[in-house]
Amino acid sequence: MELLPEMALAYADAVGMPWRRVRVAPPGSDTDAPDVARARAGDEAGFEALVRRHEREVYCLAHRMLHDREEALEAAQDTFLRVFRALPTFRGEASFRTWLFGIALNVCRNRLARGLKRERVTTVPLAQEDQISGEVVALPLADSALDPEAAAGRSELRRAIAAALQRISPEHREIILLREVRGLDYDALAAALGCPAGTVKSRLARARAALRVTLEGVWP
Amino acid sequence: MTCEEFLRRLDQGDPMVEGDAAAHAAACPACDRALARSRAVANELSAMADEPAPPFLHARIMAHVRAGRRARAVRWRYAFAAAATVVLAVGTYVLLRPGPVLAPTQLAERLTNAPGHETAQNPTDTRERQAMAVGGVRAPAPVAKGRADKAASAQAARHTQPGVNTVAHAPAAGSPPPGETGAEHEAAERKAEAADEERSAGAALATQSVAPLVPDESKRTTAAEHAGANELPVVPANALGRAATASDSRQLPQPAQAAQSRAQSELAAPDTTVCAIRTTAGQVVAHLGLPTALAPPVDGVWTLVVARDGALAVHDARDRAVALDGTRLAAALGPVRLPPGRYTLLIER
């Protein structure tokens, strides 16, 4: 039985399923094909529909992978630009969403390899002079809606998980994000990560263990 | 079940809600706590899927994609322009390369003039036509144009000498233009020859000033030398001041000779289309000695193929060899050597 994500989550909450192992239909799995065909034919509207459908999860994946909002924005841009260029070579062996995640992960890996730690020299004004009264007024701080943790008013656990995700290796982080957050099954994981299904299972187990051990340090 | 085994199964994604795992969790507080934490973490991770994205994300992504698309289009445009430049440069080199070859326009002239027409024409017209044919191919610069004019004049002068004609469409030997007596015509010819020699010397000096790196070549390849070589006197050397004749090639250093011959063989491969010639079906029939039934169709495209060994063949629009009178074709082309390649014949009305 295919369930929409919201229905699946509600069902999991209702029955108290510990891991929410409800098969969730990936968003857009049924509706991507026509837009992919249109986009491959050069129709920009078709490509824009794909972007609109998947941009948020690509951005969120990149944000969790890179732990930097601006980097995540650029990674999402690069991902869709690469998708646009590579669409003619998309053979449809995996779903478009899986293929998209594979490209997004490659973009994130490249950015991590290039050195995310490079210093970003930016100047953020904290106050400015009011044009009418001439008084110096404080500018509002960053939009809290753009900070996932702040926006959701999440618990300490979420902050701890976010911190732990940054401490484990990128290889473990990406498989946790794709499996636990995005709900990809083993076949899709294998396609997105470019490794056999057996490797996916063992890597996922090691990633969960790493996350569990790391969490013990940040969330006693 | 041990605690290690419990945790291993927990990491493998086992829900642990029944069987010995559930019994172990009930009996072991540490494993029970680990199970509870794992469930909480799984729920929290699932909830991360609903995280918001910046409201401007879509506009920014689409702007980036459109900019990338435009940049790519511009890159393609530059690449196309570069490729076109290379093709033009190669084509120009093929047309202007050194050697006593028949200029494409001269070839066109040969194929577009019926045999025997020249004998009835005014020699002055022939001179002008030859000058135009030579100058049209070999005149990229004023100096080269001057040399072309000189060569054309020298050729025209040679055509007036009995026994020296080598061109099929040359006028009748020594025939004076209308309105001139024979004595006046001979005197005019001698005058023209002297002027031609003067201009030849001047052109050689001019070539030296244009191409100081190859002074010997410009000296060696003058029209006067060609005049005695029983060949169609195309422009001496070439307009770029590079090596022209076989004797020039022999005097080049070995690496330069090798490079030159390699470049020539590459550029003059039989698959290379040298030029397109506009002609008519009647003229093709007349020149190639074809039966009328085999005349090319109007608006058709035939090909004159010159092999590396100089062998001539004519192919129809389907690239089939057309049976032709080789002797007649050779006679039509005269004692000139066409560069190997393919010459497209555009058949017009």
Side-chain angles (χ1 to χ4, degrees), chain A residues 44 56 64 70 77 219, chain B residues 37 51 60 66 69:
Chain A
E44 192 176 303
R56 191 174 61 86
R64 288 294 172 194
E70 195 58 33
Q77 291 174 181
W219 188 50
Chain B
R37 285 171 64 100
E51 285 173 356
R60 190 162 160 178
R66 289 185 186 116
R69 196 180 186 182

Side-chain angles (χ1 to χ4, degrees), chain A residues 181-214:
Chain A
V181 179
R182 297 297 151 201
L184 266 62
D185 60 23
Y186 287 130
D187 291 337
L189 280 174
L193 298 172
C195 60
T199 307
V200 166
K201 288 180 182 174
S202 58
R203 188 185 296 177
L204 185 57
R206 287 198 301 274
R208 281 179 181 140
L211 183 63
R212 177 170 50 78
V213 171
T214 307

Side-chain angles (χ1 to χ4, degrees), chain A residues 86-105:
Chain A
L87 257 181
T89 66
F90 175 58
R91 297 190 298 269
E93 291 170 355
S95 72
F96 173 77
R97 183 169 176 258
T98 301
W99 182 66
L100 174 66
F101 280 145
I103 292 177
L105 282 182

Side-chain angles (χ1 to χ4, degrees), chain A residues 9 18-20 42 44 47-48 51-52 55-56 59-60 64 69-70 73-74 76-78 80-81 84-85 145-146 148-149 151 154-155 157-158 161 176 180-182 205 208-209 211-212 215-216 219-220, chain B residues 7-8 10-17 33-62 64-69 71-72 75:
Chain A
L9 292 175
W19 287 84
R20 291 191 175 174
E44 192 176 303
F47 181 74
E48 193 164 1
V51 172
R52 200 172 288 281
E55 62 188 3
R56 191 174 61 86
Y59 166 78
C60 290
R64 288 294 172 194
R69 178 174 158 246
E70 195 58 33
L73 280 170
E74 289 177 7
Q77 291 174 181
D78 287 352
F80 282 104
L81 183 58
F84 181 79
R85 288 175 177 167
L146 303 182
E149 276 75 48
R154 292 296 178 183
S155 63
L157 173 58
R158 177 168 285 203
I161 291 174
I176 288 280
E180 308 296 349
V181 179
R182 297 297 151 201
R208 281 179 181 140
L211 183 63
R212 177 170 50 78
L215 263 177
E216 284 172 2
W219 188 50
Chain B
L7 291 178
R8 198 185 71 244
L10 193 63
D11 293 336
Q12 287 171 349
D14 191 333
M16 312 277 199
V17 291
R33 183 169 172 272
L35 178 61
R37 285 171 64 100
S38 293
R39 289 174 175 171
V41 168
N43 284 336
E44 214 46 59
L45 285 170
S46 295
M48 282 182 177
D50 302 327
E51 285 173 356
F56 52 82
L57 177 64
H58 181 77
R60 190 162 160 178
I61 288 175
M62 289 310 296
H64 188 67
V65 169
R66 289 185 186 116
R69 196 180 186 182
R72 203 179 194 196
R75 277 199 297 274

Side-chain angles (χ1 to χ4, degrees), chain A:
Chain A
M1 176 183 177
E2 297 285 344
L3 294 173
L4 294 176
E6 298 79 17
M7 293 169 60
L9 292 175
Y11 174 75
D13 284 339
V15 300
M17 289 186 68
W19 287 84
R20 291 191 175 174
R21 287 289 173 260
V22 178
R23 189 176 175 200
V24 175
S29 60
D30 295 328
T31 53
D32 279 344
D35 290 328
V36 168
R38 286 169 60 198
R40 288 184 67 168
D43 182 359
E44 192 176 303
F47 181 74
E48 193 164 1
L50 292 172
V51 172
R52 200 172 288 281
R53 194 172 300 133
H54 296 288
E55 62 188 3
R56 191 174 61 86
E57 55 185 0
V58 168
Y59 166 78
C60 290
L61 174 67
H63 190 207
R64 288 294 172 194
M65 283 296 296
L66 303 171
H67 200 57
D68 184 285
R69 178 174 158 246
E70 195 58 33
E71 283 279 341
L73 280 170
E74 289 177 7
Q77 291 174 181
D78 287 352
T79 298
F80 282 104
L81 183 58
R82 285 195 192 190
V83 166
F84 181 79
R85 288 175 177 167
L87 257 181
T89 66
F90 175 58
R91 297 190 298 269
E93 291 170 355
S95 72
F96 173 77
R97 183 169 176 258
T98 301
W99 182 66
L100 174 66
F101 280 145
I103 292 177
L105 282 182
N106 277 334
V107 170
C108 291
R109 287 171 191 155
N110 290 342
R111 286 184 169 268
L112 286 171
R114 274 212 310 265
L116 178 61
K117 290 184 173 59
R118 69 177 183 271
E119 288 297 326
R120 207 177 264 284
V121 182
T122 53
T123 305
V124 180
L126 297 176
Q128 72 175 14
E129 191 174 328
D130 190 290
Q131 303 245 335
I132 300 172
S133 65
E135 295 176 2
V136 175
V137 295
L139 288 172
L141 294 178
D143 185 359
S144 61
L146 303 182
D147 180 1
E149 276 75 48
R154 292 296 178 183
S155 63
E156 189 182 348
L157 173 58
R158 177 168 285 203
R159 295 176 189 275
I161 291 174
L165 281 174
Q166 298 312 309
R167 294 189 186 184
I168 61 177
S169 70
E171 188 183 57
H172 289 160
R173 194 186 316 151
E174 64 190 24
I175 199 168
I176 288 280
L177 291 173
L178 289 182
R179 173 66 178 173
E180 308 296 349
V181 179
R182 297 297 151 201
L184 266 62
D185 60 23
Y186 287 130
D187 291 337
L189 280 174
L193 298 172
C195 60
T199 307
V200 166
K201 288 180 182 174
S202 58
R203 188 185 296 177
L204 185 57
R206 287 198 301 274
R208 281 179 181 140
L211 183 63
R212 177 170 50 78
V213 171
T214 307
L215 263 177
E216 284 172 2
V218 295
W219 188 50

